[in-house]
Amino acid sequence: MPSIHALVPEVGRADSDGLRSHDAEALADCVLDRAEPSWRRLACAEALHGRVPQTHLEALLACVRDPHDAHEVRVQLLDLLSDREELLPWLRHEDRQGERGYRIEHAVLRTRTRLGDLTALAAVADLAFRPGWRDRMAGGECLESLVDRHGSAAVAAALDGLDEADPAVRALRIRLRDRNGEDITDSLTDPDPEVAYVTQDLITDTDRLRAYLAEAPTVDAALWAAYALYRLTEDPAPTRAAYEALGRPRVEVEGLDEDVRRAIVHEYVPYCENGTDPRWRLEAICTDPPARPDQEDQLRRATAALTAAGLAPKPPVHCGEAHQQGDGTYHVIEYTGPAKSSRSAPWAPGRATSKATRTPAQPWNPRASTGWTRQRAPRGYRACTSTTSAPASRWTSTPSSTTGRTSCSGCGS
């Protein structure tokens, strides 16, 4: 029989089939051996599912309880030992609330709910209400485990003991109602936009949404219904009709120019957080985006301006390539030349004296939030040109010794 080291080599993939047929006690020995790398211990723990040797049970449980052991191994062991009732006192202990190691929080809560611990409901509600999709999925899985163990009625009764003023509790109740096949459109009136977002995200009945648009008791509820209808159908016509019938409601921002507003709405609202006001969402769907700038022309003019200033610009590079990761709305131009400052706006070097915060709920106004100071440019620094739909782009530089990075007020990079 091949050794564990041969089945889980340092280079190459682990032989999962070979591990599953390997001696269970030898696998458990490897899991408990801290001299082994965590990736090998993890593979052995995965291979123990359904055949945990009783001779090693107490040691494996002690490994789970040890906060100094590798988090990923403990997570796998929690999944492996999730039927062990003796873990409940440790799982419920207040110290578990402070553990934030790799996926350990999810694993602890998942094990508690698999064991039917209804006292975990408040933590389940909090997890399912977080903005990250992994947290929401984990919270939904925990709710399913409790329902499978106790039934919907018992879980609903346990929810009655929690604070209904907590939006997370209301959102979990809505999830439970939806799971039971109830009509949850009434919850679109919830005053908390994140709860209303959860509601619209769960609704899948387009006919019910169309009917609700005519009977919605509040403007916000109608907006959420129209947004959910667009999410399901991708047809903007009914949503635009509802938006017009409601008087095109929107969030007013004093001093924000319309052209800048349109650029912000169409650039950022599609990626907004769950609690964003539905007026922003409908505005993005029901209004036309501004014309995109001629990116190539922008880059040509930027390069020409740098050349005219006596500098030696290199070819523009998209920010994702320049940083070797991610994406964005600007290009980087590296150049060298004499220490001088260009006076040809909008390419005047300077430094942003304040950093703007841009969220769809509180749109960013570059004209109001950014200050500028002139400074001489060092040899060898970068220029940045934004390619968003904002009407104007400015460059700034933050020099460091003889080289520096620049940031653009049009993109905030």
Side-chain angles (χ1 to χ4, degrees):
M1 178 178 291
S3 68
I4 290 178
H5 283 206
L7 294 171
V8 194
E10 290 190 15
V11 179
R13 299 181 60 182
D15 182 353
S16 300
D17 292 335
L19 286 172
R20 280 191 290 269
S21 60
H22 204 276
D23 178 65
E25 292 194 355
L27 291 173
D29 285 336
C30 183
V31 172
L32 295 169
D33 186 357
R34 297 195 186 185
E36 293 286 357
S38 59
W39 45 266
R40 182 172 285 138
R41 297 172 64 199
L42 181 62
C44 291
E46 290 173 348
L48 281 175
H49 274 272
R51 57 194 190 106
V52 176
Q54 289 297 312
T55 54
H56 291 66
L57 178 58
E58 289 304 320
L60 292 171
L61 288 170
C63 181
V64 169
R65 297 185 184 106
D66 186 351
H68 302 294
D69 207 336
H71 293 303
E72 58 267 37
V73 175
R74 296 173 66 213
V75 167
Q76 186 59 53
L77 288 177
L78 273 171
D79 188 50
L80 181 70
L81 304 170
S82 61
D83 60 339
R84 306 303 305 186
E85 299 280 349
E86 59 265 44
L87 277 174
L88 263 180
W90 176 81
L91 291 167
R92 287 172 172 166
H93 195 277
E94 62 183 10
D95 288 349
R96 302 293 78 70
Q97 299 175 19
E99 288 209 47
R100 291 294 184 268
Y102 175 67
R103 292 168 48 202
I104 194 72
E105 181 188 15
H106 289 188
V108 166
L109 200 54
R110 187 163 51 242
T111 305
R112 287 179 66 184
T113 54
R114 286 178 181 175
L115 291 170
D117 183 11
L118 285 171
T119 66
L121 260 180
V124 171
D126 174 73
L127 185 62
F129 196 58
R130 294 180 189 175
W133 69 268
R134 286 186 177 87
D135 289 332
R136 296 199 306 271
M137 293 293 290
E141 181 185 341
C142 290
L143 177 63
E144 288 294 324
S145 294
L146 290 174
V147 171
D148 290 344
R149 186 72 174 256
H150 298 287
S152 294
V155 175
L159 273 174
D160 289 339
L162 301 181
D163 183 7
E164 200 70 18
D166 184 353
V169 173
R170 299 200 302 275
L172 193 67
R173 188 181 298 280
I174 292 165
R175 289 183 182 276
L176 185 61
R177 289 177 56 200
D178 179 67
R179 186 189 182 281
N180 294 337
E182 297 180 33
D183 178 11
I184 59 172
T185 50
D186 61 309
S187 294
L188 291 172
T189 60
D190 195 283
D192 190 296
E194 290 190 69
V195 177
Y197 178 88
V198 169
T199 302
Q200 70 79 29
D201 194 47
L202 292 171
I203 296 173
T204 58
D205 188 342
T206 55
D207 291 337
R208 178 68 186 110
L209 285 170
R210 290 188 183 95
Y212 186 79
L213 278 171
E215 64 188 44
T218 66
V219 171
D220 282 48
L223 292 171
W224 283 117
Y227 178 73
L229 189 61
Y230 176 76
R231 172 181 56 81
L232 293 169
T233 65
E234 297 185 356
D235 179 6
T239 299
R240 288 179 176 176
Y243 188 59
E244 293 290 341
L246 292 167
R248 300 172 63 87
R250 69 180 201 168
V251 179
E252 296 297 342
V253 181
E254 184 179 354
L256 182 62
D257 293 344
E258 285 301 313
D259 53 355
V260 177
R261 181 188 181 102
R262 281 204 300 157
I264 293 170
V265 165
H266 289 277
E267 193 69 38
Y268 298 109
V269 169
Y271 313 102
C272 63
E273 297 291 339
N274 296 352
T276 298
D277 192 299
R279 290 161 180 77
W280 289 115
R281 299 175 186 271
L282 270 291
E283 185 174 342
I285 295 169
C286 301
T287 61
D288 295 326
R292 304 294 294 186
D294 186 338
Q295 179 176 313
E296 294 302 320
D297 180 62
Q298 284 185 325
L299 295 174
R300 279 193 299 270
R301 290 189 293 116
T303 301
L306 293 171
T307 302
L311 306 174
K314 294 182 180 180
V317 178
H318 185 263
C319 58
E321 182 181 348
H323 302 300
Q324 298 183 353
Q325 64 177 347
D327 198 2
T329 57
Y330 66 97
H331 283 67
V332 172
I333 299 175
E334 293 188 347
Y335 62 90
T336 57
K340 63 186 297 183
S341 173
S342 169
R343 294 181 179 276
S344 55
W347 301 295
R351 175 178 296 174
T353 57
S354 64
K355 184 171 289 187
T357 299
R358 296 168 298 161
T359 63
Q362 294 179 323
W364 170 61
N365 182 353
R367 301 180 184 181
S369 61
T370 306
W372 300 92
T373 57
R374 299 270 182 169
Q375 65 180 29
R376 293 177 65 82
R379 293 178 60 87
Y381 78 119
R382 294 182 175 188
C384 162
T385 181
S386 170
T387 53
T388 66
S389 51
S393 301
R394 297 185 178 91
W395 303 348
T396 66
S397 67
T398 305
S400 174
S401 65
T402 59
T403 62
R405 298 169 67 87
T406 62
S407 63
C408 173
S409 69
C411 60
S413 58

